[in-house]
Amino acid sequence: MDATVGSSHAFEEHTSEVEVNLRASSVEALFREAALALAEVMAGREVPASTEAREPVELDATDRDALLVDWLNELLFRTETSGRLYTAVRIDRLTDRTLSAAVGAVERPEPLICVKAATLHGVRIVETPGGWTANVVLDV
Amino acid sequence: METQTHLPRDLTPPALRRLGEVEYELVASAGMRVPARVFADEVLLAQMLRDRSFRQLMNVACLPTVVDAVYGMPDMHEGYGFPVGGVAATEAPHGLISPGGIGFDINCGVRLLASTLKRTEVLPMAETLVHEFSRSIPAGMGRASDTSFDPGQMARVLEEGVPYLVRELGFGTEEDIEFVESGGCLPGGRAQLVSPHARDRGHTQLGTLGGGNHFVELQVVDAIFDADAASRLGLGLDTVTVLIHTGSRGLGHQVCTDHVRQMDRAMARHGIHVEDRQLACAPLSSVEGQAYFGAMCAAANFGFCNRHLIACLVRGVFERVVGHGGLRLVYDVAHNTAKLERYGDRILCVHRKGATRAFGPSSEELPLAYRGLGQPVLIPGSMGTASYVLLGTDRAQEISFASACHGAGRAMSRGAAKRAVTGSEVRRQLAAQGIVVRCTSNAELAEEAPLAYKDAARVVDVVHRAGIARKVARLRPIGVVKG
């Protein structure tokens, strides 16, 4: 697991979807944790980290909250089309509107939980005394 | 009749005003442009008040250009942006369109096939039928269709829908076309407006079930509430039916993702602010609005075609196992769409998110065989519980934008369901009821357990009592393949 000290994710109650609470010491770590949370939702369990992050990801958005959602949706797209689960993340550059990263994957376990998308519903990256936090609702 | 009613203190506000036997209106609060009305009895109302569905419905009522009222169906529950079971309309051409008002699974819907076979004839073959369904119909994430479509064919699917599959590729029958909502094709579909990402996600998924709460269910007509109507729909007591529930798969999901993103970026330029970014919207007449509408219609056509191809696979299984594939299409309805519909002298863009169109007997959009009868409204129950067939009424157009519920509606979170029951227990419970189950994931089985859903009979009863649609028949499951 590509764990970062102080990073965590938890699943909160939502009637129909999956709501993920993310916590990390930095925004970069928050984005890495989001990738792990998505992989766990899709696999139905924690998944082992892949070895290297080699596939480039370049994104831009109107703001950092939207960027987080775009990030998850890009990973979701790659998982659904590649047959692989993305668990290795290297953040090269992260601004309030852009992301350059590299990701690595493992062959996805069967069966996988279908995640339709990450939504903009209620997403807000917030700085706290302990670091950063955000909630994201995934449509499953 | 208006009577003020305040629910007990342990149920959270907002305050509700009772309008009728099963109709309530939220007392208006700041920012709401139209009333928010809910169809429910007191039990369903109490369930709705346990989650954020009322807040979400109120946010919808705050959207610019919404007209008349926004509605919550009796299966309403918390979603994201729009509540699931929410209905709202804006006036074309300049009213807003919101992808969140349709949802990611564009044209998720239900198709009902009926046979003349009796339960006693089919029951000995139920295990085999369900097994063959699971072998023949790709289900779950990552399972590709056995039928491939080249880019040119896919473009025609997106723009021409079911008629293309029938007339050009030979899937199904000419008769099928008439019994699909909108003839199986929304004419505004534009393939070039569907992004490469959406095509990549969807190109191997046409003819696949997907996952989550999607299913193919073998059923028996075990109750008839309106004998004449049932006869005209081809539903005989104790006969066998098949219900298919799925939508536009990854293609539709990506279309919604793409256009929520685009509209979120464009709202400021249109002077629009929304309470929830997932309600991102733009005028239907704008570049963004037209782009979404064209892509949404294309994705909806993919959804109709997806259910059509699965129906062909089901008929193939019946041919092999039973000896004939004579399953007649009763009707195919969409749950998540935005459709341009005439109400008096207005053309309204009716957003239905987890809601079913319910046109009445007077509608000229009905198949000839159903004119004077009403549009079939197909309401699937939760796994292991009954589904229902209703007929839309003319009154529905006056009170709910001709909209009914779409299912039982979730009553608890997936986490709570998995804490309450295991997938193995659900399998045992279904087996005890004589229901054959095929589902590869115990976790998903637990999430979809009947206890996670509202009482479909109660939900349907409210729709009937409200005068939106009238009950015709009840369908009991004898086998299910879950996605």
Side-chain angles (χ1 to χ4, degrees):
Chain A
M1 174 83 56
D2 184 19
T4 302
V5 173
S7 297
S8 66
H9 62 266
F11 301 109
E12 299 188 348
E13 293 295 303
H14 190 289
T15 306
S16 57
E17 316 304 341
V18 173
E19 184 163 358
V20 184
N21 172 252
L22 303 164
R23 293 180 182 275
S25 57
S26 69
V27 179
E28 290 80 1
L30 196 79
F31 273 63
R32 281 198 295 272
E33 192 66 22
L36 296 176
L38 177 64
E40 182 176 331
V41 170
M42 297 177 84
R45 55 179 170 79
E46 286 189 26
V47 293
S50 57
T51 52
E52 276 190 74
R54 287 187 175 181
E55 289 182 38
V57 177
E58 300 285 338
L59 298 171
D60 70 272
T62 50
D63 53 64
R64 196 164 52 189
D65 298 338
L67 190 60
L68 178 61
V69 172
D70 284 357
W71 164 241
L72 289 171
N73 281 322
E74 180 63 20
L75 294 174
L76 171 61
F77 165 76
R78 294 190 186 205
T79 295
E80 192 163 317
T81 54
S82 72
R84 300 159 77 225
L85 208 55
Y86 289 86
T87 57
V89 175
R90 187 186 73 239
I91 305 290
D92 294 324
R93 183 172 52 88
L94 177 62
T95 71
D96 284 349
R97 297 181 55 180
T98 62
L99 169 69
S100 291
V103 294
V106 294
E107 292 303 313
R108 67 186 181 201
E110 296 286 350
L112 263 190
I113 308 298
C114 291
V115 176
K116 300 184 185 76
T119 79
L120 281 169
H121 175 66
V123 68
R124 186 181 300 275
I125 298 174
V126 175
E127 187 172 13
T128 68
W132 297 83
T133 184
N135 273 39
V136 182
V137 173
L138 304 176
D139 184 340
V140 296
Chain B
M1 174 191 68
E2 281 190 17
T3 56
Q4 197 85 19
T5 183
H6 288 277
L7 295 163
R9 190 170 290 201
D10 59 337
L11 296 171
T12 308
L16 296 163
R17 178 165 53 235
R18 190 169 195 166
L19 299 182
E21 189 186 351
V22 288
E23 187 176 0
Y24 295 83
E25 182 174 292
L26 277 70
V27 174
S29 63
M32 286 173 61
R33 298 169 189 263
V34 297
R37 297 186 181 133
V38 172
F39 297 96
D41 63 12
E42 291 194 358
V43 170
L44 294 171
L45 207 58
Q47 289 178 320
M48 291 173 187
L49 286 165
R50 288 193 206 125
D51 67 19
R52 291 167 279 195
S53 49
F54 276 114
R55 166 51 58 189
Q56 292 177 349
L57 192 65
M58 291 165 70
N59 286 343
V60 175
C62 294
L63 286 174
T65 77
V66 287
V67 298
D68 299 0
V70 300
Y71 298 101
M73 293 298 116
D75 55 344
M76 184 176 75
H77 62 80
E78 178 180 12
Y80 42 83
F82 266 62
V84 179
V87 179
T90 61
E91 188 168 355
H94 303 304
L96 298 173
I97 186 167
S98 172
I102 291 95
F104 288 96
D105 199 355
I106 296 168
N107 193 6
C108 184
V110 179
R111 174 176 283 219
L112 179 65
L113 303 168
S115 77
T116 55
L117 297 165
K118 289 290 195 177
R119 181 182 61 85
T120 48
E121 296 174 81
V122 172
L123 210 51
M125 295 178 272
E127 181 95 31
T128 304
L129 280 167
V130 173
H131 176 70
E132 287 301 312
F133 287 160
S134 70
R135 278 164 40 97
S136 305
I137 303 167
M141 191 172 187
R143 287 282 311 277
S145 175
D146 295 326
T147 307
S148 61
F149 295 84
D150 65 35
Q153 291 173 324
M154 185 60 74
R156 293 193 67 181
V157 163
L158 297 178
E159 297 197 350
E160 301 173 47
V162 170
Y164 168 68
L165 288 185
V166 173
R167 293 169 180 160
E168 303 275 346
L169 300 184
F171 289 105
T173 69
E174 184 69 27
E175 187 190 29
D176 287 340
I177 296 170
E178 190 186 8
F179 292 92
V180 183
E181 183 177 324
S182 301
C185 176
L186 300 190
R190 296 290 176 266
Q192 70 269 27
L193 295 174
V194 176
S195 71
H197 262 30
R199 290 164 192 260
D200 285 345
R201 282 180 77 174
H203 84 278
T204 61
Q205 296 180 345
L206 194 57
T208 69
L209 196 57
N213 61 2
H214 295 164
F215 62 79
V216 174
E217 193 169 89
L218 185 66
Q219 306 167 321
V220 170
V221 180
D222 83 332
I224 288 180
F225 307 107
D226 185 325
D228 176 64
S231 175
R232 288 184 62 182
L233 294 178
L235 297 173
L237 189 64
D238 220 33
T239 57
V240 168
T241 59
V242 178
L243 195 66
I244 299 164
H245 176 220
T246 188
S248 54
R249 307 287 285 103
L251 184 140
H253 309 164
Q254 190 68 39
V255 164
C256 182
T257 294
D258 293 339
H259 290 272
V260 167
R261 187 171 181 269
Q262 289 175 22
M263 289 194 181
D264 181 64
R265 292 177 173 224
M267 277 195 298
R269 181 159 40 82
H270 291 292
I272 298 169
H273 168 77
V274 294
E275 296 296 320
D276 182 334
R277 285 178 82 173
Q278 192 62 27
L279 292 172
C281 51
L284 180 59
S285 55
S286 69
V287 168
E288 294 86 7
Q290 285 295 295
Y292 172 66
F293 187 76
M296 186 273 297
C297 289
N301 294 339
F302 186 103
F304 284 131
C305 288
N306 194 31
R307 289 195 291 280
H308 187 73
L309 287 169
I310 292 174
C312 292
L313 292 172
V314 167
R315 283 171 169 158
V317 168
F318 264 70
E319 186 80 47
R320 294 194 301 275
V321 175
V322 177
H324 63 85
L327 291 167
R328 179 187 158 266
L329 174 54
V330 176
Y331 208 63
D332 182 309
V333 293
H335 296 158
N336 296 338
T337 56
K339 302 188 83 175
L340 297 176
E341 298 172 355
R342 178 171 289 281
Y343 290 81
D345 56 4
R346 299 181 298 173
I347 301 294
L348 300 184
C349 182
V350 181
H351 296 63
R352 297 185 178 95
K353 183 178 176 182
T356 309
R357 192 188 75 173
F359 279 178
S362 304
S363 173
E364 293 181 357
E365 292 208 26
L366 301 183
L368 281 174
Y370 297 163
R371 303 265 175 98
L373 186 65
Q375 176 215 302
V377 176
L378 310 173
I379 306 300
S382 58
M383 195 168 44
T385 66
S387 302
Y388 291 83
V389 179
L390 298 89
L391 288 170
T393 66
D394 289 335
R395 178 171 157 71
Q397 193 172 45
E398 300 166 16
I399 64 173
S400 69
F401 292 128
S403 303
C405 60
H406 80 306
R410 287 196 73 92
M412 70 172 64
S413 72
R414 296 169 189 281
K418 286 189 286 190
R419 289 191 294 274
V421 71
T422 66
S424 301
E425 287 170 339
V426 173
R427 286 182 198 274
R428 281 194 294 273
Q429 290 165 6
L430 294 175
Q433 295 173 58
I435 299 171
V436 179
V437 180
R438 288 291 183 274
C439 177
T440 55
S441 167
N442 269 346
E444 284 202 333
L445 210 56
E447 290 177 1
E448 298 299 320
L451 59 81
Y453 284 82
K454 303 178 189 188
D455 180 355
R458 180 180 292 277
V459 167
V460 164
D461 192 54
V462 167
V463 168
H464 183 91
R465 288 162 64 190
I468 292 171
R470 57 193 177 94
K471 293 193 298 187
V472 174
R474 186 176 67 202
L475 314 172
R476 181 170 55 80
I478 56 176
V480 61
V481 174
K482 224 198 73 50

